[in-house]
């Protein structure tokens, strides 16, 4: 008996369109596996900055408390921790920058990183290790800035670093740097004068209530009924006191209302 020949086998011909669609079908098939991974990566917060130390050269000084340092060939911004120097638009802002530049610019420093702030700057302690005068090596830039009166102890963010508080007291008593002024304006007040205004509004209401309950004093003979003694904090027809040097204005009842060396009374609209 003769065998019947097997039917021929025809290979399916692959069209150009099928070659284009095949990768897409594979991708769509993998999506259920990929999506959970993507969601997990998106939901994972960035890791917190770890405490570290590195040595590098100071290549720029932005202001009194902010410098740029080379780390592994890359320039990184470092904010001196526990210290707040005057803003550049403030009195002593330029001098604080000059002091930091004179001490650290072009020098090799060690940066002990403690954290990273919301702007991505490294928060740390900066110590001179090379390139400076022999007497300067080993000095801490954070501490020297406060010691010489070109910065405040930033106690609201670093309450445990009390050594900076001691250095600030020393600078105040010796009237170094900005402490030569009777009422230097803290940079956090300069940056947010509205906070002082809000405090002043509350104090103003308290003073107004006390004034309603007390008899009005008689004007001094030949005096001006509208004059406001600068040391009493009395309200000058609802006007604010503007420090003409720093630009900060103080509401009636606040600490420096009518007390700065340079200033004048203005309405709130004029002050703004």
């Amino acid at each position: 008996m003769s065998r019947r020949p097997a039917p021929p086998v025809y290979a399916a011909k692959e069209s150009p369109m099928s070659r284009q669609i095949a990768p897409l079908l594979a991708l769509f098939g993998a999506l259920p596996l990929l999506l959970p991974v993507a969601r997990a990566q998106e939901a994972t917060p960035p890791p917190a900055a770890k405490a570290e130390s590195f040595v590098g050269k100071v290549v720029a000084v932005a202001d009194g408390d902010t410098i740029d340092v080379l780390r592994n060939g890359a320039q990184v911004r470092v904010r001196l921790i526990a210290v707040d120097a005057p803003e550049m638009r403030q009195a002593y802002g330029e001098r604080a920058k000059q002091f930091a530049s004179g001490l650290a610019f072009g020098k090799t420093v060690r940066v002990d990183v403690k954290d990273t702030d919301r702007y991505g700057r490294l928060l740390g302690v900066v110590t001179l290790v090379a390139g400076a005068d022999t007497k300067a090596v080993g000095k801490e830039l954070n501490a020297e800035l406060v010691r010489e009166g070109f910065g405040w102890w930033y106690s609201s963010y670093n309450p445990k670093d009390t050594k900076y508080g001691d250095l600030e007291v020393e600078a105040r008593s010796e009237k170094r740097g900005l402490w030569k002024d009777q009422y230097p304006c803290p940079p956090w007040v300069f940056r947010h004068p509205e906070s002082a205004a809000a405090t002043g509004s509350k104090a103003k209401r308290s003073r107004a209530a006390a004034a309603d309950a007390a008899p009005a004093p008689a004007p001094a003979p030949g005096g001006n009924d509208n004059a406001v003694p600068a040391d009493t904090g009395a309200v000058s027809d609802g006007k604010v006191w503007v420090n003409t040097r720093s630009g900060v204005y103080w509401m009636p009842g606040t600490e420096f209302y009518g007390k700065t060396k340079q200033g004048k009374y203005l309405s709130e609209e004029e002050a703004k």
Side-chain angles (χ1 to χ4, degrees):
M1 181 181 294
S2 62
R3 294 183 179 180
R4 183 177 298 177
V9 177
Y10 299 97
K13 187 176 182 180
E14 187 178 16
S15 68
M17 182 174 293
S18 64
R19 286 198 299 271
Q20 295 175 0
I21 293 176
L24 294 176
L25 292 175
L27 177 61
F28 289 142
L31 275 179
L33 299 175
L34 294 175
L35 284 175
V37 176
R39 290 195 190 100
Q41 291 176 343
E42 186 175 310
T44 303
K50 295 181 180 179
E52 60 167 321
S53 294
F54 68 91
V55 174
K57 185 177 181 179
V58 177
V59 293
V61 177
D63 54 32
D65 55 33
T66 309
I67 62 176
D68 288 352
V69 184
L70 288 180
R71 180 179 63 175
N72 298 328
Q75 189 168 325
V76 294
R77 179 142 290 190
V78 178
R79 171 68 164 81
L80 305 184
I81 198 167
V83 176
D84 203 3
E87 297 292 328
M88 290 300 294
R89 294 177 290 113
Q90 267 188 278
Y92 290 92
E94 184 63 40
R95 292 185 62 184
K97 178 181 177 180
Q98 290 172 356
F99 176 81
S101 297
L103 195 59
F105 180 70
K107 311 300 192 301
T108 301
V109 299
R110 185 183 73 247
V111 181
D112 296 314
V113 181
K114 306 299 182 182
D115 204 347
T116 302
D117 69 8
R118 58 180 176 173
Y119 305 109
R121 301 176 299 185
L122 302 179
L123 301 176
V125 176
V126 176
T127 306
L128 293 157
V129 296
D133 296 335
T134 305
K135 293 181 180 179
V137 172
K139 285 189 175 182
E140 179 194 310
L141 183 57
N142 310 51
E144 293 304 311
L145 200 70
V146 179
R147 188 197 310 276
E148 297 304 322
F150 293 112
W152 277 258
W153 170 34
Y154 214 172
S155 58
S156 57
Y157 284 91
N158 307 94
K160 294 182 180 180
D161 294 327
T162 55
K163 75 172 185 179
Y164 300 105
D166 296 336
L167 292 173
E168 182 181 312
V169 170
E170 177 187 320
R172 282 173 181 259
S173 63
E174 297 293 332
K175 297 190 181 300
R176 298 174 188 156
L178 58 85
W179 300 112
K180 292 175 183 175
D181 284 1
Q182 186 176 6
Y183 299 110
C185 177
W188 55 86
V189 174
F190 182 83
R191 290 191 293 264
H192 304 288
E194 66 279 3
S195 299
T199 303
S201 297
K202 183 176 180 181
K204 179 179 176 181
R205 291 193 295 270
S206 300
R207 288 184 178 274
D212 289 340
N224 182 356
D225 290 349
N226 294 322
V228 179
D231 60 346
T232 62
V235 179
S236 176
D237 297 331
K239 292 187 176 182
V240 298
W241 174 260
V242 180
N243 184 326
T244 53
R245 184 171 186 178
S246 67
V248 175
Y249 66 91
W250 300 89
M251 297 293 289
T254 51
E255 184 177 2
F256 299 122
Y257 184 76
K259 293 183 178 180
T260 57
K261 285 183 178 180
Q262 301 177 27
K264 57 183 177 181
Y265 294 105
L266 294 174
S267 68
E268 288 193 52
E269 289 302 318
E270 291 172 325
K272 293 177 181 177

